[in-house]
Amino acid sequence: AGTQSSLNFKFMNYAHRSLRKGERTIWAIWQPEIPSNGPTIFGWKFFRPVCLSHLVILTDYELILIREDEHIYGRKEMRYGGIWSYVPLDKITSISIAEKGNDPLVVSIHLPENDSLFCVFSVSQMQTIREFIAQFELIKAGPKLK
């Protein structure tokens, strides 16, 4: 499927432990941290990244979002930690992309009652995201979900 060979080892382990027995991975998108162009003061760069590293996995049953915990970002004593979101496919109404020129892409996962989850990706991921959305739409249009 759409997995990228440069997938971070930590996130590969997270992904492996996130899948149910018998669950089939359809597509995965890995997004490394996107740095911002923050100010430099006395040679030190001060910035918050545009987005932290995250992984989106589409399975035959659910969408799994795994992302760095922004509360522990940059703290060397707490280098490992993540936040998992599991969304059953039958709860996703649609997925869309918002693009603004060379700015990062915002992928919206639309849920019932006008609720949404958002993921930020680099512009270079556009084709992979389009393929991911096409795979999601094929699954939604197919036989009734589990």
Side-chain angles (χ1 to χ4, degrees), residues 17-143:
R17 286 185 274 141
S18 299
L19 299 173
R20 302 178 197 205
K21 186 175 182 160
E23 193 170 28
R24 192 172 60 110
T25 300
I26 309 297
W27 206 264
I29 305 173
W30 157 247
Q31 177 60 60
E33 177 182 301
I34 300 175
S36 69
N37 294 326
T40 302
I41 302 173
F42 302 117
W44 291 87
K45 192 149 183 130
F46 293 91
F47 71 93
R48 292 272 313 152
V50 172
C51 79
L52 299 177
S53 301
H54 56 278
L55 176 64
V56 178
I57 304 168
L58 175 65
T59 74
D60 52 347
Y61 179 76
E62 62 196 347
L63 187 71
I64 305 169
L65 308 170
I66 308 171
R67 61 191 184 280
E68 297 271 16
D69 184 347
E70 63 187 47
H71 293 66
I72 64 170
Y73 172 78
R75 296 176 65 185
K76 294 196 187 306
E77 71 276 6
M78 299 175 75
R79 291 179 49 197
Y80 299 101
I83 298 172
W84 280 253
S85 299
Y86 296 86
V87 185
L89 294 182
D90 62 353
K91 298 296 182 197
I92 301 172
T93 57
S94 65
I95 301 175
S96 63
I97 307 169
E99 51 185 303
K100 298 177 187 171
N102 290 329
D103 288 344
L105 306 169
V106 177
V107 174
S108 300
I109 300 152
H110 305 282
L111 305 169
E113 314 240 349
N114 294 323
D115 205 2
S116 295
L117 296 171
F118 303 96
C119 297
V120 177
F121 291 91
S122 68
V123 174
S124 65
Q125 298 266 41
M126 177 59 87
Q127 185 58 37
T128 302
I129 293 168
R130 284 186 177 142
E131 293 168 4
F132 160 76
I133 292 172
Q135 288 297 312
F136 168 76
E137 290 172 351
L138 279 173
I139 292 170
K140 284 292 274 191

